[in-house]
Structure formats: C-alpha cells, structure tokens
C-alpha cells in the first residue's frame, strides 16, 4: 500500500529499541530482531506487528527463552534457560506463565515433572531428588502438596495419604522400606497425632 513500509527495514522506537527485519503494511511481519536499551532482545517470527510463531527472547539478566510466542506473549511449548544456559523450565506456557505440562529444575538439582497453572504447580505431578529417585508423587494446589500423595524418604521409608498446605495432614499410612506398614492413622502438621496403630517391622501392633 502507498506510503506503508513493506519488505526489509530498520526502525528505532521512541523508547530506544531498534527493530531490524521485515514489514508488511506498516507492521512488523516475518523474520525480525528487536533490541532494547537494557540489553534484552527478541529474534524470531512476527505477524501483524506482534511476536507470533517461534523465536528467542533474551532477558536483561542473561536468562533466555527459546520457543513459541503468541500475541507478544510466551505461549505454547518452549524452554526457559538460566543465564548460565542450564534449563530452568521445559514445557508448556500460557500468556507468559508456566501452564500445562512441563519440567522445572531447582537450583539444588532436584526437579518437578507435572502440571502447572499460572506459574505454580497445580494438578498431578512428581518431585524428584537430584539423583532421579522419586521424592513425592501426587496432587498439588497453588504450588504446594495438597490432596493425596506418596512421599518417599531418602532411606526408602514412605508415606501414602492426605496432604494439606505442603504438610502431611489427615489420614495416611507410613511404611517401612520393605513395604510393611509402620503406622496407620491420623497425622497433623507432618507428625503422628490422633488415632492410629503403630506396627513394628515384624507386623506386631505396638500400643
């Protein structure tokens, strides 16, 4: 159209950002690269003036994202990297939030695989020790263990039962590592409390 940028061009925004790439009808459209004064940049696909498609966005602190975008948001499947280029999160995003299925890796090397909603663990998921052994598998609500789940201690003993606000709370069973029941009953605030039965490793009840 007349007097509208089309094809390749360079444009400097009023905020100091510089765009180098393709245009269609006065809008960024096609492949392009945009650099901001703070050092952050985006390189990838544009459609009708917005980041749409696949691209890389590098944040001013050195962390970066490689994956899908929609309407200027991180949206779809992608990988978020720390500034040392190790993976922070690998999975699904919705409007720039962790949302859907994915893997989140913690600083100590332990990790989570499961469902997220609005940047928090929500739904079914599994926490792993850094050696790859399962630590917890079950329900999460707003980033904490809540509902029903199985917690496995590093010595092999484990708990199956109810959780609330990231603590063992309600009805559940503690097991010896050989699979025999150790305690069956009530828990409160991560400790045995209320009615229940203690059972020794030989299967005998202790009163």
């Amino acid at each position: 159209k007349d007097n509208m940028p089309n094809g390749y061009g360079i444009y400097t925004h009023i905020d100091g950002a510089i765009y180098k790439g393709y245009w269609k009808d006065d809008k960024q459209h096609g492949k392009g690269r945009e650099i901001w004064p703070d050092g952050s940049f985006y390189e990838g696909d544009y459609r009708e003036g917005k980041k749409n498609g696949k691209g890389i966005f590098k944040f001013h602190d050195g962390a970066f994202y490689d994956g899908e975008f929609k309407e200027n948001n991180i949206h779809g499947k992608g990988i978020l990297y720390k500034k040392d280029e190790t993976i922070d999160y690998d999975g699904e995003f919705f409007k720039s939030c962790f949302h859907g299925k994915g893997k989140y890796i913690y600083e100590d090397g332990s990790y989570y695989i499961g469902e997220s909603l609005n940047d928090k663990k929500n739904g079914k998921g599994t926490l792993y020790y850094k050696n790859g052994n399962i630590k917890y598998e079950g329900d999460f609500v707003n980033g904490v263990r809540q509902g029903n789940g199985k917690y496995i201690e590093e010595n092999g003993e484990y708990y199956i039962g109810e959780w609330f606000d990231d603590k063992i709370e309600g009805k559940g069973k503690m097991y010896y590592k050989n699979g025999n029941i150790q305690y069956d009953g009530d828990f409160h605030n991560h400790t045995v409390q209320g009615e229940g039965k203690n059972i020794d490793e030989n299967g005998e009840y202790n009163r």
Side-chain angles (χ1 to χ4, degrees):
K1 294 180 181 180
D2 294 340
N3 301 320
M4 287 188 177
N6 281 280
Y8 181 83
I10 299 173
Y11 177 76
T12 302
H13 295 267
I14 192 170
D15 63 2
I18 299 172
Y19 172 78
K20 298 180 181 180
Y22 287 87
W23 298 77
K24 182 180 179 182
D25 298 337
D26 200 28
K27 294 180 180 180
Q28 297 151 308
H29 193 94
K31 297 292 184 183
R33 178 181 173 93
E34 196 165 2
I35 304 172
W36 285 267
D38 64 1
S40 57
F41 72 84
Y42 170 80
E43 184 169 3
D45 298 327
Y46 287 83
R47 188 170 65 249
E48 297 184 349
K50 296 181 179 180
K51 304 174 192 70
N52 278 289
K54 292 186 178 181
I56 295 174
F57 188 93
K58 185 173 183 180
F59 301 89
H60 65 87
D61 64 357
F64 64 98
Y65 167 80
D66 185 353
E68 298 175 337
F69 289 79
K70 183 178 181 181
E71 299 292 304
N72 282 336
N73 288 302
I74 292 173
H75 190 100
K77 292 184 178 180
I79 303 175
L80 182 65
Y81 293 87
K82 301 181 178 74
K83 61 182 179 181
D84 64 1
E85 299 188 0
T86 59
I87 293 174
D88 188 6
Y89 175 83
D90 181 353
E92 298 174 339
F93 293 80
F94 182 83
K95 292 186 176 179
S96 299
C97 292
F98 303 150
H99 192 110
K101 294 181 179 179
K103 179 179 181 179
Y104 183 84
I105 303 173
Y106 298 95
E107 293 290 341
D108 63 0
S110 61
Y111 56 97
Y112 168 80
I113 297 177
E115 299 171 335
S116 296
L117 178 69
N118 295 328
D119 271 345
K120 294 182 179 180
K121 297 185 290 289
N122 266 289
K124 298 291 185 182
T126 305
L127 287 169
Y128 294 83
Y129 294 103
K130 62 182 179 180
N131 64 6
N133 291 337
I134 293 174
K135 180 177 182 179
Y136 172 87
E137 56 183 344
D139 299 328
F140 291 83
V141 176
N142 290 329
V144 299
R145 292 167 290 189
Q146 188 161 308
N148 288 283
K150 179 180 180 179
Y151 172 74
I152 305 171
E153 297 182 11
E154 290 186 276
N155 65 7
E157 295 182 344
Y158 58 97
Y159 164 84
I160 298 176
E162 298 175 337
W163 292 73
F164 183 78
D165 197 20
D166 219 31
K167 297 181 178 67
I168 293 173
E169 183 82 29
K171 299 288 185 181
K173 296 178 182 180
M174 283 292 301
Y175 293 82
Y176 296 104
K177 60 184 178 181
N178 64 7
N180 292 337
I181 295 175
Q182 182 180 155
Y183 173 81
D184 182 356
D186 297 333
F187 292 81
H188 176 65
N189 197 25
H190 232 62
T191 60
V192 171
Q193 189 170 325
E195 295 185 2
K197 296 178 180 179
N198 287 297
I199 306 167
D200 66 24
E201 291 186 86
N202 298 316
E204 299 293 330
Y205 287 101
N206 295 321
R207 297 184 181 277

